[in-house]
Amino acid sequence: MSEQFPLRISAMFRSGISGYVKNLVPLTAAGAVTIAVFGIFRFWAQMAIDDGKTFQSIVFDLLGLVLAGTVSLPWFAYALDAARIKPIDLAAPWRSGGQFAAQLVCAIFFWAAFMLGLRYLAGIPSILAALFYGFYGYVVADRAAKGGLRALGTSVRLGTKRRVALFAILALFAVFNLLAAIPLGYGVSALTVVLTLALLTVTASITLVGGACLYDALTERLGEQ
């Protein structure tokens, strides 16, 4: 199990919580922007569904996911700095437009695969997309590969021979992020939606910092091979 898990899950959670608390403002701000971008398109998608425009709603959802995935680059960059216990360089993601271009390419491929996976084979391809390409944001933010396609390839290599362990981590963090939906259990209203989005920003930020710790551990292992 130690071969499959280069980092204990408890250590990931501790690092995620500690890194978020110490860098609360930049991580929260980057997370809020990312979630807000998707939220706007999700609102438009819901309006399209209410009007019976199913195809249009799918387009809005996919656009929202891709654009949110693109603007999430600073969130990944700040999570990496937090995991490495470094002062967050707020301007780092903005110094090169090439990083955002690479992030856009990755987001297109990732969310296209994820959405198609939800439609076919009981969603199993979506899980595979997360397991194979889930590290692309860290790879781009870390400048560990040139271009989006190479970033996706690096993400695939990071998880080689560790898919079962990664699935376990993915499942645990998915459950952790579902805690953000607790307010919705008391009914859907403006207040519960706002509370849910606020909690999701927190849980997702902790998840990203914890994931950055795992990314570094996997990168180190990859370099030893």
Side-chain angles (χ1 to χ4, degrees):
M1 190 69 170
S2 59
E3 295 255 340
Q4 296 291 323
F5 253 62
L7 187 66
R8 290 181 180 274
I9 296 178
S10 58
M12 290 177 60
F13 272 104
R14 285 197 302 270
S15 297
I17 293 171
S18 175
Y20 175 67
V21 170
K22 292 177 181 177
N23 302 278
L24 188 142
V25 174
L27 284 170
T28 301
V33 169
T34 301
I35 293 173
V37 169
F38 174 70
I40 291 170
F41 281 88
R42 179 85 277 277
F43 175 74
W44 290 341
Q46 186 58 52
M47 290 182 62
I49 290 174
D50 293 341
D51 291 339
K53 300 175 181 178
T54 303
F55 178 76
Q56 188 173 337
S57 72
I58 294 173
V59 171
F60 278 133
D61 272 332
L62 189 55
L63 281 174
L65 289 168
V66 169
L67 291 178
T70 303
V71 302
S72 68
L73 176 61
W75 204 6
F76 280 98
Y78 301 161
L80 276 173
D81 284 343
R84 294 168 179 173
I85 318 179
K86 293 169 51 180
I88 287 183
D89 186 351
L90 296 175
W94 309 93
R95 293 196 181 105
S96 172
Q99 277 188 288
F100 279 98
Q103 188 81 349
L104 172 61
V105 171
C106 289
I108 290 173
F109 277 90
F110 177 84
W111 287 114
F114 193 91
M115 293 291 279
L116 284 172
L118 289 178
R119 186 173 181 83
Y120 301 105
L121 298 176
I124 293 176
S126 297
I127 298 174
L128 294 177
L131 291 177
F132 280 86
Y133 302 130
F135 291 103
Y136 77 81
Y138 300 114
V139 177
V140 174
D142 200 28
R143 302 175 187 269
K146 293 183 178 180
L149 294 180
R150 290 187 178 180
L152 291 171
T154 300
S155 178
V156 172
R157 289 195 299 275
L158 285 171
T160 300
K161 298 181 181 179
R162 298 185 178 92
R163 306 298 176 195
V164 175
L166 290 177
F167 177 77
I169 293 173
L170 177 66
L172 285 172
F173 274 104
V175 172
F176 174 64
N177 280 277
L178 283 176
L179 295 175
I182 288 177
L184 294 178
Y186 295 92
V188 179
S189 66
L191 177 60
T192 57
V193 169
V194 169
L195 286 175
T196 296
L197 293 177
L199 286 173
L200 182 60
T201 303
V202 173
T203 59
S205 294
I206 291 172
T207 298
L208 280 189
V209 177
C213 294
L214 179 60
Y215 164 78
D216 279 341
L218 291 173
T219 299
E220 183 178 349
R221 290 289 183 89
L222 186 64
E224 293 173 353
Q225 294 175 0

